[in-house]
Amino acid sequence: MLTVENITKKFSGVTALENVCMNLHPGKVNAILGENGAGKSTLMKILSGVYADYEGSIFYNGAPVAFSNPKEAQEKGIAIIHQELNLIPYLTVTENIFLGREIINRWGFLNKTEMCRQTEMLLNKLRLYVDADTLVADLKVGQQQVVEIAKALLVKSEVIIMDEPTSAISEKEVEVLFDIIRELKAEGKTIVYISHKLDELFKIADRFVVLRDGRSIEAGEMKGMSHDALVQKMVGREIKIIRKKEEQREQTTPALAVENLCLKHAERKGENVLKNISFTVDKGEILGVFGLMGAGRTELLETLFGLHPKRSGGKICADGKEVQMTSPSDAIKAGLALVPEDRKRDGLVLGMDVRKNISLTTLRQMEKAGLLNQNKETALAKKYIRELQIKTSSDKQAAKNLSGGNQQKIVLAKWLATNPKVLLLDEPTRGIDVNAKNEIYKLILSLADAGLGIVVVSSELPEILAVSDRILVLTEGVLAAEIPVQQATEDSILKAAIPKTI
Amino acid sequence: MEAVINMEKQSAVKKYSRSLIKFQSLIALFLLCLAISLLSDKFLTATNAWNVMRQISVNVCISVGMTLVVLTAGIDLSVGSVLALCGAVTAGLLKNGIELPANNLFIGFTLLGAIVAGLLIGALLGVFNGWTITKFKVPPFVATLAMLTIARGLTMLWTGGYPISAFGENFASIGTGWLLGIPVPVWLSGIVVLIAVVLTKKTRLGRYIYAIGGNESAAKLSGINVNKIKIAVYTIAGALAAVGGIIVTSRLDSAQPNAGVTYELDAIAAVVIGGTSLSGGRGSILGTVLGAVIIGVLNNGLVLLNVSPFWQQVVKGAVILLAVIIDKANTKNE
């Protein structure tokens, strides 16, 4: 039993948590709900000993506890599985699980047989049927997640905190994960489950705690709660987005026309990641692209954006003119913009401030007599901070200090600044909260209304169905289906996406 | 009301301590000067001050180039050897010109011609560094380590292993002359610093350098030609090493084949003490200049205080460590 009382945590003056109280019930899956920036991660970091300086108290099994580092928390039986997996790719499963807790034999050497034995036991229990000597790098993301859980189980954790455990795994893997969670629950472990995906929570969670703006708003049983009611508690108001259905668009030159696009595999000769893909995007149209992991979704956008010039073939026309995409700058010149899947890795210079991130794509226009003009830059940044309602203390705030949703808006801003004709969006709402998601959807719709051709790649079916006019389904690099949104259902899309051959 | 005042007070304290952090190298330098001046009466004299400035001017030039490279998350180990080669090339051309006996041809060089040739060689070697790093994806450490050896070898080949000396008044004035009461090398390094400050703070190239160091992948996706910028940066580093080489050669009135050995380490030290992150994206030219001044004053002080050269090295190493440790602690607090 873990109880949190009046926890307050401040970061250099900014209050991240204020008088948060909650009870975590053993043998239950406790969902922590909240928008980005609501304080979920901060609270979890306090529980798992990452942050040691906070006000308030934590009671564990009735006794007050204070962890000064993650190891202390682990020893008490509280383990956290972070959103970004903390595994070392070129060590084996066994080596990762026992990292820092190696078993030593009497000569002072590693007792590999014993460690392997225990690893295999854990893996069997978690139904991950891979060799204990497999390199973690060779595992799929879902399997890596299970290895993380095995790590937590090895130290006999009573409380297991999972931060967005399904953000990078397929639906099938999610089912396996849920089975594991149910078993852990049956053993009486306390599961703390953080996720943005409400549908998931309805499947797995028993209780919920809602955080909003650093405060605990409400807690209770999941049973009897509705989706909308939870969303409302999280955002404090109700929000709905519906794509205005298809008025007849004028037939004009398509914003983007792709013919026989191919992409060779980077390592395996003779194999293609993309095979003869042809499609068009009209001005003002939102084209949804769905595919399972490895279907070539991201690669499609990357190829269009000139990131794989040496491996790609086919014809790309932007606004009727054929263009050679040999580099991102060619693509930008042709009026394309790409909001990448992983904004921290590819979208932002995190250490730079908001202003410099926004102006990065249009720096040439910020010059006056060969020197950068700060007034121009500030004006540009302020314009987008206002228009996209980016929540930041100023345009000089470093991008890394903003929440996921606001970071995503910066990435959008820097691309809108280029005045694109075609917007390529790769998982535009990954890892951001419901409220920001809806803002992004609204933005996408209004951009389409303004005449941009938009391609949205997403692995979330509800998202695809909500924003698209037309849906393309990719299966193993092949364009498997093209479905107008009126005829599309989650089932029909999924059916098309699953490979026919095994 | 009280709370508001309290908060204001807090933020004022915070602001104060932040600016303290910003100026800590300056404060460290001040304390260093204070300590040395208490221990030696020769330290705080105009002659000594100009002497120190003249001595560090070469390191300042190289360190400025190094800063640009390090800001892109690279490193240039070849600057010491490039310095030697460029100094020797300028010296050789000035002294002997180029003789092609087969064609019965002799090309003489004016002072300016020889200097330009030296600078060009430096820039060219920089281009080569940038080319191997971007085209073949050789890690900068390895590529420039190779260039360190190659350029040193070329220096030996060019000089035959012997110094080239005695070039006359005009050339010597670059390293030893005065202009408006300020030593010429100080002018030169000052101009280099000024240009570099404007470049990093006020130009597209500068912004791209920071962006590439901060997140290369995001920079590439933003349409920045990352390879071009990297090549430019190594080219500038090479050319600035050449400037250093010409100053050194002129000051000694001699091009030594083993000139500039370990200069790359002094430059990296100045960059690091100046607070530039070796992982790129964070740092400044003025920080590096301060770093170079601290190293220069420290060297000078230790000499004035008759500390043995062996101990000098130990002290210098300790200072580098200390600077980085303090810097790490500060960035963690942010």
Side-chain angles (χ1 to χ4, degrees):
Chain A
M1 172 76 147
L2 195 61
T3 308
V4 165
E5 269 178 25
N6 293 318
I7 294 260
T8 297
K9 165 85 185 158
K10 289 181 178 144
F11 290 104
S12 53
V14 179
T15 309
L17 293 175
E18 199 174 344
N19 292 322
V20 169
C21 301
M22 66 173 187
N23 281 318
L24 297 174
H25 295 232
K28 295 260 163 82
V29 175
N30 302 266
I32 310 283
L33 291 165
E35 300 183 88
N36 260 22
K40 299 182 305 269
S41 299
T42 312
L43 184 58
M44 292 309 119
K45 282 181 177 163
I46 288 174
L47 284 183
S48 59
V50 177
Y51 296 139
D53 53 328
Y54 55 88
E55 296 157 36
S57 29
I58 302 172
F59 296 92
Y60 185 45
N61 294 331
V65 284
F67 308 121
S68 49
N69 59 51
K71 197 159 184 194
E72 274 185 34
Q74 270 174 27
E75 280 160 4
K76 283 266 161 82
I78 301 177
I80 184 165
I81 298 166
H82 290 280
Q83 194 172 354
E84 290 91 13
L85 297 176
N86 284 317
L87 296 171
I88 299 172
Y90 293 105
L91 291 183
T92 67
V93 173
T94 308
E95 285 164 338
N96 265 290
I97 289 178
F98 279 90
L99 198 62
R101 297 185 277 270
E102 287 81 359
I103 300 174
I104 304 291
N105 65 19
R106 79 181 92 156
W107 311 109
F109 293 114
L110 294 174
N111 188 343
K112 285 197 178 157
T113 18
E114 177 58 20
M115 288 193 282
C116 268
R117 195 184 63 81
Q118 290 194 21
T119 302
E120 274 159 14
M121 264 171 53
L122 280 170
L123 295 183
N124 271 328
K125 182 182 150 90
L126 298 175
R127 278 177 285 146
L128 175 61
Y129 302 112
V130 300
D131 205 85
D133 285 333
T134 318
L135 292 184
V136 162
D138 294 335
L139 297 181
K140 291 191 205 130
V141 184
Q143 296 176 318
Q144 295 183 4
Q145 201 103 41
V146 176
V147 174
E148 278 278 10
I149 298 174
K151 249 171 96 174
L153 292 183
L154 181 75
V155 287
K156 308 262 180 296
S157 307
E158 286 306 313
V159 180
I160 300 174
I161 303 170
M162 300 183 182
D163 192 357
E164 301 264 355
T166 59
S167 61
I169 65 180
S170 74
E171 302 205 3
K172 215 172 136 198
E173 289 168 321
V174 171
E175 282 312 315
V176 175
L177 178 71
F178 282 2
D179 283 344
I180 294 169
I181 291 177
R182 286 187 195 106
E183 277 166 33
L184 294 172
K185 202 170 88 173
E187 290 172 21
K189 310 239 187 265
T190 311
I191 311 288
V192 182
Y193 193 97
I194 301 173
S195 176
H196 284 110
K197 299 179 184 166
L198 282 176
D199 301 339
E200 245 175 58
L201 294 176
F202 279 106
K203 278 192 204 155
I204 192 73
D206 304 301
R207 297 188 54 83
F208 70 88
V209 177
V210 174
L211 294 184
R212 188 166 81 218
D213 300 329
R215 297 162 207 249
S216 38
I217 297 296
E218 198 176 320
E221 298 280 333
M222 277 301 268
K223 205 170 273 174
M225 288 305 291
S226 74
H227 184 284
D228 290 349
L230 277 181
V231 169
Q232 201 178 343
K233 287 183 206 313
M234 283 162 64
V235 300
R237 65 198 135 96
E238 214 167 340
I239 291 177
K240 258 194 192 115
I241 291 285
I242 310 156
R243 171 76 172 139
K244 223 182 348 169
K245 294 296 174 204
E246 198 81 11
E247 307 140 25
Q248 205 58 43
R249 259 191 311 278
E250 283 174 59
Q251 286 301 317
T252 51
T253 331
L256 182 72
V258 178
E259 268 176 56
N260 290 322
L261 192 71
C262 292
L263 178 67
K264 292 195 194 101
H265 196 283
E267 281 127 37
R268 293 200 286 271
K269 272 214 174 105
E271 272 185 50
N272 275 358
V273 185
L274 298 174
K275 294 158 202 157
N276 293 318
I277 292 186
S278 305
F279 64 91
T280 60
V281 189
D282 283 335
K283 288 167 189 152
E285 186 186 32
I286 304 176
L287 181 70
V289 178
F290 180 81
L292 301 175
M293 277 270 193
R297 303 175 309 219
T298 297
E299 289 81 357
L300 173 64
L301 296 192
E302 285 177 352
T303 309
L304 290 176
F305 205 61
L307 281 163
H308 305 299
K310 287 187 189 134
R311 294 192 277 128
S312 60
K315 193 172 149 190
I316 303 170
C317 294
D319 202 11
K321 282 191 289 284
E322 184 172 355
V323 275
Q324 297 298 324
M325 303 293 189
T326 54
S327 71
S329 79
D330 284 348
I332 294 168
K333 264 181 223 140
L336 269 62
L338 171 66
V339 174
E341 180 179 11
D342 187 336
R343 61 183 157 270
K344 287 186 180 170
R345 196 187 64 202
D346 302 319
L348 292 167
V349 184
L350 285 168
M352 270 190 173
D353 60 29
V354 174
R355 173 175 58 99
K356 290 178 182 171
N357 268 296
I358 291 179
S359 65
L360 200 56
T361 48
T362 49
L363 217 47
R364 210 178 279 274
Q365 294 158 33
M366 300 297 124
E367 285 178 323
K368 217 174 190 177
L371 298 181
L372 294 177
N373 185 293
Q374 198 176 331
N375 294 339
K376 277 190 184 177
E377 269 192 77
T378 309
L380 181 81
K382 292 228 162 110
K383 176 180 164 220
Y384 283 105
I385 288 174
R386 199 176 51 241
E387 283 180 9
L388 307 188
Q389 294 171 16
I390 301 172
K391 279 180 212 127
T392 173
S393 57
S394 89
D395 59 312
K396 298 213 173 51
Q397 180 68 257
K400 64 180 169 203
N401 295 333
L402 269 60
S403 70
N406 284 308
Q407 287 182 346
Q408 188 71 330
K409 287 182 187 172
I410 300 178
V411 180
L412 272 164
K414 82 177 206 186
W415 286 114
L416 293 181
T418 65
N419 247 333
K421 304 283 177 292
V422 180
L423 198 53
L424 310 172
L425 305 170
D426 197 353
E427 303 282 355
T429 63
R430 167 161 293 177
I432 67 180
D433 59 76
V434 181
N435 199 14
K437 250 183 200 183
N438 281 323
E439 284 186 50
I440 303 264
Y441 292 152
K442 261 189 214 158
L443 196 64
I444 294 174
L445 301 188
S446 71
L447 289 169
D449 289 342
L452 268 75
I454 297 178
V455 181
V456 177
V457 159
S458 176
S459 53
E460 286 184 45
L461 281 170
E463 175 164 301
I464 289 272
L465 285 165
V467 297
S468 312
D469 294 317
R470 194 154 51 96
I471 297 162
L472 298 184
V473 181
L474 284 182
T475 309
E476 295 182 322
V478 179
L479 189 56
E482 183 178 332
I483 316 172
V485 75
Q486 294 88 337
Q487 295 161 27
T489 61
E490 298 208 5
D491 271 355
S492 66
I493 298 175
L494 210 53
K495 218 169 268 169
I498 294 167
K500 305 288 174 290
T501 53
I502 296 167
Chain B
M1 188 63 201
E2 205 176 307
V4 172
I5 294 171
N6 211 357
M7 251 170 70
E8 271 173 8
K9 215 185 245 170
Q10 259 185 6
S11 77
V13 167
K14 207 153 271 163
K15 223 181 212 169
Y16 182 68
S17 72
R18 211 172 305 153
S19 56
L20 211 68
I21 286 171
K22 210 170 174 183
F23 291 115
Q24 69 183 9
S25 344
L26 216 52
I27 294 164
L29 177 63
F30 175 76
L31 292 177
L32 188 66
C33 290
L34 192 73
I36 300 170
S37 59
L38 288 178
L39 294 169
S40 161
D41 50 1
K42 280 180 223 138
F43 180 71
L44 268 189
T45 59
T47 329
N48 190 53
W50 287 130
N51 200 13
V52 171
M53 302 247 306
R54 190 198 294 274
Q55 276 166 1
I56 64 167
S57 56
V58 172
N59 191 22
V60 166
C61 288
I62 302 175
S63 305
V64 164
M66 187 69 80
T67 308
L68 299 179
V69 171
V70 170
L71 280 174
T72 66
I75 192 100
D76 189 347
L77 299 178
S78 68
V79 285
S81 301
V82 171
L83 172 145
L85 179 61
C86 297
V89 165
T90 299
L93 293 179
L94 197 59
K95 182 100 180 164
N96 308 324
I98 298 177
E99 263 180 283
L100 297 169
N103 309 351
N104 204 9
L105 197 69
F106 173 81
I107 309 168
F109 277 80
T110 61
L111 182 60
L112 190 65
I115 289 173
V116 169
L119 292 175
L120 274 179
I121 295 287
L124 217 61
L125 295 181
V127 171
F128 187 82
N129 276 335
W131 180 64
T132 52
I133 288 164
T134 54
K135 175 88 183 171
F136 303 102
K137 308 287 168 216
V138 182
F141 190 97
V142 179
T144 58
L145 182 66
M147 181 54 74
L148 176 148
T149 309
I150 293 170
R152 184 64 63 188
L154 291 176
T155 312
M156 294 299 171
L157 286 170
W158 176 259
T159 60
Y162 295 101
I164 307 171
S165 306
F167 317 102
E169 289 274 312
N170 281 342
F171 186 64
S173 66
I174 295 172
T176 56
W178 294 73
L179 187 67
L180 305 174
I182 294 172
V184 175
V186 178
W187 276 110
L188 290 174
S189 57
I191 292 167
V192 165
V193 168
L194 192 72
I195 294 172
V197 168
V198 172
L199 181 122
T200 49
K201 299 264 179 218
K202 285 277 165 198
T203 69
R204 205 145 43 89
L205 175 61
R207 181 67 57 78
Y208 288 168
I209 288 170
Y210 279 95
I212 290 170
N215 185 347
E216 186 170 330
S217 166
K220 190 178 171 195
L221 275 171
S222 299
I224 298 171
N225 189 336
V226 172
N227 288 353
K228 204 169 91 183
I229 306 292
K230 281 191 178 173
I231 293 174
V233 160
Y234 285 94
T235 306
I236 296 173
L240 288 179
V243 172
I246 291 162
I247 297 176
V248 169
T249 307
S250 157
R251 193 169 71 211
L252 302 175
D253 200 18
S254 168
Q256 301 285 336
N258 63 348
V261 172
T262 74
Y263 276 24
E264 63 279 353
L265 301 184
D266 281 340
I268 294 169
V271 170
V272 166
I273 291 176
T276 296
S277 157
L278 282 179
S279 47
R282 190 172 63 86
S284 71
I285 296 292
L286 288 182
T288 297
V289 172
L290 211 56
V293 173
I294 288 176
I295 295 174
V297 167
L298 197 67
N299 276 339
N300 178 256
L302 294 171
V303 171
L304 289 181
L305 300 178
N306 283 324
V307 177
S308 100
F310 305 148
W311 273 112
Q312 285 180 27
Q313 298 196 30
V314 176
V315 171
K316 225 162 82 182
V319 168
I320 295 170
L321 262 184
L322 197 69
V324 178
I325 290 168
I326 293 172
D327 188 51
K328 280 275 177 216
N330 287 340
T331 45
K332 212 173 168 187
N333 280 343
E334 275 175 22

